[in-house]
């Protein structure tokens, strides 16, 4: 079994890398980083991949003939230049486009370049999975607070991308489950500036979330394709 984790250097991504290594000791685990080269998990094959560059994704994909699980755990909410918008007047085109490029387009480009390896993969006991970490704030139906324009719009675009992909692949890539996963508020660099108002018991460790995600992915079958799941297995509205 071959497993590829994008964003393996991040808070949630590194916990997923650890967890899949534990749960599937015989699997070959490949993981990517962009700016922060990880030092842990020496059994993992690490590569630098910039998910904002199609060339970088394509070059990385060219080494694979078969991949059984692809998980994209890369993403952004803020960067060195800007925090998420509290109001319309704070929208900056460059920041908006960066959010869309990393949070939405990267998953489509990964799908484009890993389609062949996912299609050709066989011999694994668990269902083939293509999962991306989205966020409940990307749900249009669930939006009651507003704000965070760039992040919300990029995750809503990601959700549509996953739904679309699940429809196309149900016809053309046999036996695969395509999903968007919501981690809940998780203690990482991404959520660090916003943790003050999180209710007691609702800020999760990345290890807990990774454990939930891997358990969920082991259980999910092709009948779950095209769904948006919370870490606890609850199905979320798009
Ligand atoms: N934490 C939460 O509370 C929370 C809640 C809801 C959803 N999420 C989602 O969960 C996912 C993981 O978030 P996290 O909390 O683990 O964030 P994080 O710790 O900040 O990790 C972000 C990851 O994205 C990677 N990345 C950033 N720019 C990249 C690029 N251009 N190319 C390739 N990789 C790039 C980073 O790589 P380098 O560090 O190597 O640059 C890092 O691995 C994101 O999609 C986020 O939206 C998180």
């Amino acid at each position: 079994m071959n497993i590829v984790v994008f964003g393996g250097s991040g808070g949630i991504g590194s916990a997923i890398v650890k967890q899949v290594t534990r749960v599937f000791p015989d699997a070959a685990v490949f993981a990517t980083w962009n700016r922060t080269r990880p030092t842990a998990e020496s059994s993992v094959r690490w590569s630098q991949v910039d998910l904002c560059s199609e060339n970088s994704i394509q070059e990385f994909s060219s080494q694979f003939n078969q991949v059984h699980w692809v998980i994209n755990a890369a993403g952004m909410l803020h960067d060195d230049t800007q925090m998420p918008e509290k109001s319309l007047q704070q929208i900056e085109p460059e920041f908006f486009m960066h959010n869309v490029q990393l949070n939405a387009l990267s998953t489509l480009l990964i799908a484009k370049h890993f389609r062949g390896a996912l299609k050709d993969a066989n011999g694994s006991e668990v269902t083939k999975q293509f999962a991306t970490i989205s966020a409940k704030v990307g749900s249009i139906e669930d939006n009651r607070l507003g704000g965070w324009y760039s992040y919300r719009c990029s995750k809503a675009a990601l959700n549509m991308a996953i739904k679309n992909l699940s429809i196309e692949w149900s016809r053309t890539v046999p036996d695969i489950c395509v999903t968007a996963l919501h981690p809940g508020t998780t203690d990482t660099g991404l959520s660090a500036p916003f943790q003050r108002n999180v209710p007691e018991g609702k800020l999760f460790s990345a290890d807990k979330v990774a454990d939930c995600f891997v358990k969920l992915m082991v259980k999910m079958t092709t009948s779950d394709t095209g769904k948006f799941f919370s870490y606890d297995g609850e199905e979320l509205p798009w």
Side-chain angles (χ1 to χ4, degrees), residues 6-13 32-37 49-52 72-77 98 102-103 133-136 151 155 158 181-191 203:
F6 290 92
S9 50
I12 295 173
T32 78
W33 55 282
N34 183 42
R35 291 203 297 189
T36 326
R37 179 192 269 276
V49 175
D50 177 4
L51 289 172
C52 291
N72 185 9
M76 66 173 286
L77 169 61
H98 187 198
L102 181 59
N103 291 342
I133 317 291
S134 184
K136 196 154 113 174
Y151 189 68
K155 292 293 189 181
L158 172 64
L181 304 177
H182 165 66
T185 308
T186 309
D187 187 9
T188 68
L190 181 141
S191 69
L203 179 65

Side-chain angles (χ1 to χ4, degrees), residues 139-172:
S139 165
I140 292 175
E141 204 172 325
D142 186 70
N143 187 358
R144 287 172 192 89
L145 285 175
W148 292 17
Y149 280 90
S150 297
Y151 189 68
R152 281 188 189 274
C153 290
S154 65
K155 292 293 189 181
L158 172 64
N159 289 353
M160 181 58 88
I162 285 293
K163 187 75 193 179
N164 244 31
L165 186 64
S166 73
I167 292 168
E168 180 172 332
W169 282 7
S170 67
R171 300 187 199 115
T172 60

